[in-house]
Amino acid sequence: MQMKWYDLIKTSLANLWRRKARTILTMVGTLIGTASIVIMISLGLGLNKEYMDGLMESGGLTTVNINYYDGYYSDSATKLKLDDDALEEISKLEGVIAVTPLMEFYNGNLTAGKYECYSSILGIDPKAAEAFGFDFEEGGMFSDDTKKLEIVIGGGAKRYFRDPKARNDDWSTINELDWLNEKYRYEVNTYNEDGSITTKKFKMTATGTLVENYSNNSYYIFANIDALKELVKKNKKLFEDVKTDQYTQAWVKVDDIERTIEVTEKINEMGFSAYSDAEYITQQQEQMQTVQLFLGAIGAVAMLVAALSISNTMLMSVYERTKEIGVMKVLGCRLSNIAMLFLSEAALIGLIGGAFGLAFSYGLSFVINHTLSAMLGGSIQSYIPIWLALLGLGFSTGMGVLSGLYPAQRAMRLSALQAIRNGA
C-alpha cells in the first residue's frame, strides 16, 4: 500500500494535533532556534551593510586619493611632480571620469561675524567637482570666476564655526548663522621682524552648503582652486610656502568599483602614492564573514537544542504509537511509508516552527532598527535579506527532517506482532 503525498501530510498534521501541547512546545523551541540564527546573522549583515552604505555614500569605493609630498618639497626639475601634466596623464587612464588637484590652506582663520572656524579650505576644480558627489543642502557650486573668493561649506564643517566666547561644548551657535548671507573673512597672520603680528583679511562669499553625511566632502570648506592660485600669486609673501604649479594631493573618480583598484595600481606604478577604500573591501568582507560565522554559531546552539527537542518528541511518539505502527505493518503498509510519516511530522514541526521563528525575527529586527538602534546612537542594525529568510526556513525544516531520522528508523525496525502485543 502506497500513501499519496497529500494523505501523508493530512495524516501527519492530524497526528501532531492529537498531542498539540507537546507539539506546540516543540515548535516554540524551533521558533527560538530559527530566530536566534536569523537575528544573529542579520546583525553581522547589518554591520556590513552599514559599512558598505557609508562607503557608497562617501564615494570612497570609486574615488582614488593621491598623495605626493616628496615632489612638493623638491625643486629638482628631474624629480617627479604631481602637476597639471601628471594629472592630465592620469585622466587618460581607462575608467577615469574626473580628476581634480587639491590645494589645502591651513594657515588661515575663517570668520563669519562673531563666529570663527579653524577648518582648512580645500581648493578643487569646479568642473570636476560634480563627479565627486556634492549633495547640496542650500545653494550650489561656486563659479569659474577666479576674481571671486567663493566657498561651499560642508554640512559637517558647520560644526567648526564657534563663538570663542561661548562654552567649549556649546554647539548650538551654528543654528544662528544664515550660511548663504553671512559676511565671511579669511584672516591670515604674518609675523614681523619686530615680533608684531599683521593680519590680512580677504572677503569671501558662500554659494552653497552641503548635506552632512558620511562623505568626506561634508567636513571640508571648498573653494575654486584657480581663485586660490590667484590669491597666492597676488600675495606671495603671505603665502610663500604655497606652490601653484604642483600639488600634494589629488582626487581621481573612476566609473566602476571594479576598476578602482586597477586605476590605483597604475597610478602607483607612475610613482605617486595612491589609495582607495576599495582596496580594503576584501579584507573587510573577510572580517565580516568571520563575525557572521561567530554570530551564526551562537544561534546554532539554540537550533541544536530545538533539534534535540524534535527528536525527543518524535521518539516519544514512536513509543506511544507502537500498536498503530504494528497495525500499519500487518495491513501491508510499506516501511518507506511508515518512515515518511514520521519524517514528514518532524519536517512539519521544523517548517511551521521555522515560519513563526522567521516572523518573530522580522518583528525583532524592526524593534532593533527603530528602537534599540536609536537608543545606542545607530551603532547596531539588523538586516534580513530574502536569502537569509529562505535559509532560515530551509535550515529549520532540514533540521526537523534530520531530527526525525532516528525515530523513523526506530519505527521501521519494530516487529509488527511485537508492536501489536506491546501496544495492546
Side-chain angles (χ1 to χ4, degrees):
M1 182 175 64
Q2 178 68 40
M3 293 183 67
K4 296 181 179 180
W5 65 269
Y6 51 85
D7 290 327
L8 190 64
I9 295 175
K10 183 179 179 180
T11 303
S12 298
L13 288 172
N15 288 333
L16 291 175
W17 191 245
R18 280 191 299 172
R19 299 166 180 83
K20 49 182 173 292
R22 187 168 62 193
T23 299
I24 291 173
L25 289 174
T26 307
M27 287 182 178
V28 169
T30 308
L31 180 156
I32 295 173
T34 303
S36 298
I37 288 181
V38 172
I39 286 298
M40 287 298 179
I41 295 179
S42 76
L43 292 175
L45 292 175
L47 182 63
N48 184 61
K49 186 175 184 295
E50 185 177 9
Y51 173 79
M52 294 300 293
D53 287 348
L55 287 179
M56 291 297 294
E57 187 174 348
S58 68
L61 295 180
T62 55
T63 299
V64 179
N65 300 274
I66 304 176
N67 291 323
Y68 196 74
Y69 296 102
D70 291 337
Y72 183 84
Y73 293 113
S74 174
D75 293 325
S76 172
T78 59
K79 194 169 184 68
L80 182 66
K81 296 180 180 180
L82 184 61
D83 53 18
D84 292 328
D85 292 335
L87 294 179
E88 177 66 23
E89 184 178 352
I90 292 173
S91 68
K92 295 178 181 178
L93 295 175
E94 185 177 1
V96 174
I97 58 176
V99 177
T100 179
L102 304 177
M103 180 181 288
E104 194 161 6
F105 279 61
Y106 297 97
N107 57 342
N109 181 31
L110 186 64
T111 64
K114 65 179 181 179
Y115 300 99
E116 297 179 353
C117 175
Y118 294 96
S119 172
S120 58
I121 295 179
L122 193 64
I124 63 171
D125 181 358
K127 296 178 182 177
E130 184 178 353
F132 291 92
F134 279 63
D135 188 5
F136 284 92
E137 184 176 47
E138 294 182 276
M141 184 57 64
F142 37 74
S143 67
D144 295 332
D145 190 348
T146 58
K147 296 181 180 180
K148 296 180 180 179
L149 287 175
E150 298 174 326
I151 57 174
V152 168
I153 303 173
K158 290 179 180 180
R159 298 179 179 274
Y160 301 146
F161 284 84
R162 306 296 299 278
D163 181 354
K165 296 181 181 180
R167 294 183 305 166
N168 290 333
D169 60 349
D170 185 6
W171 297 95
S172 62
T173 56
I174 63 172
N175 298 323
E176 300 175 14
L177 290 171
D178 184 5
W179 299 101
L180 299 186
N181 297 308
E182 294 291 338
K183 294 180 180 180
Y184 296 93
R185 298 287 186 277
Y186 188 62
E187 301 178 353
V188 181
N189 296 325
T190 56
Y191 295 88
N192 304 316
E193 294 181 358
D194 59 359
S196 61
I197 299 176
T198 301
T199 302
K200 192 165 185 178
K201 300 180 180 180
F202 303 95
K203 294 181 180 180
M204 290 185 169
T205 57
T207 62
T209 63
L210 302 177
V211 174
E212 183 175 6
N213 51 30
Y214 290 103
S215 171
N216 291 331
N217 300 344
S218 180
Y219 298 94
Y220 282 109
I221 295 175
F222 296 93
N224 186 334
I225 191 170
D226 292 325
L228 293 181
K229 287 181 180 180
E230 289 295 321
L231 177 66
V232 172
K233 291 176 181 178
K234 292 178 180 179
N235 301 271
K236 292 182 179 180
K237 291 184 178 180
L238 197 61
F239 301 100
E240 58 183 359
D241 294 331
V242 180
K243 291 186 177 182
T244 58
D245 60 341
Q246 61 190 73
Y247 317 100
T248 61
Q249 301 176 70
W251 286 345
V252 179
K253 194 68 175 180
V254 185
D255 61 357
D256 188 80
I257 297 175
E258 295 180 357
R259 284 184 174 175
T260 303
I261 296 178
E262 180 183 343
V263 170
T264 302
E265 292 174 349
K266 289 182 178 179
I267 295 174
N268 282 321
E269 290 172 1
M270 294 171 64
F272 302 110
S273 175
Y275 67 94
S276 69
D277 290 333
E279 296 179 89
Y280 307 107
I281 291 180
T282 302
Q283 181 181 356
Q284 178 67 22
Q285 293 297 327
E286 290 176 353
Q287 293 176 350
M288 288 298 103
Q289 288 176 3
T290 302
V291 172
Q292 289 167 21
L293 286 174
F294 176 74
L295 293 174
I298 295 176
V301 173
M303 179 55 82
L304 178 61
V305 174
L308 293 175
S309 177
I310 295 174
S311 183
N312 180 67
T313 296
M314 297 311 302
L315 197 57
M316 289 296 296
S317 180
V318 171
Y319 290 135
E320 292 173 355
R321 293 156 60 187
T322 53
K323 182 177 181 180
E324 178 184 333
I325 295 171
V327 172
M328 291 174 65
K329 287 186 175 183
V330 170
L331 293 177
C333 185
R334 295 182 180 180
L335 294 178
S336 60
N337 285 341
I338 296 174
M340 286 301 299
L341 180 63
F342 284 91
L343 286 177
S344 62
E345 290 178 18
L348 284 172
I349 292 176
L351 176 63
I352 298 172
F356 280 105
L358 189 59
F360 181 76
S361 298
Y362 275 108
L364 188 57
S365 179
F366 180 85
V367 172
I368 291 173
N369 293 338
H370 293 83
T371 303
L372 187 59
S373 179
M375 293 172 59
L376 298 177
S379 60
I380 182 171
Q381 291 288 328
S382 171
Y383 172 59
I384 306 178
I386 185 66
W387 66 263
L388 179 57
L390 294 176
L391 178 65
L393 196 59
F395 188 75
S396 64
T397 304
M399 189 62 71
V401 173
L402 290 175
S403 301
L405 286 176
Y406 177 71
Q409 290 180 348
R410 181 82 178 180
M412 290 171 60
R413 292 172 184 172
L414 282 176
S415 167
L417 295 177
Q418 188 69 28
I420 294 174
R421 191 176 295 118
N422 292 339

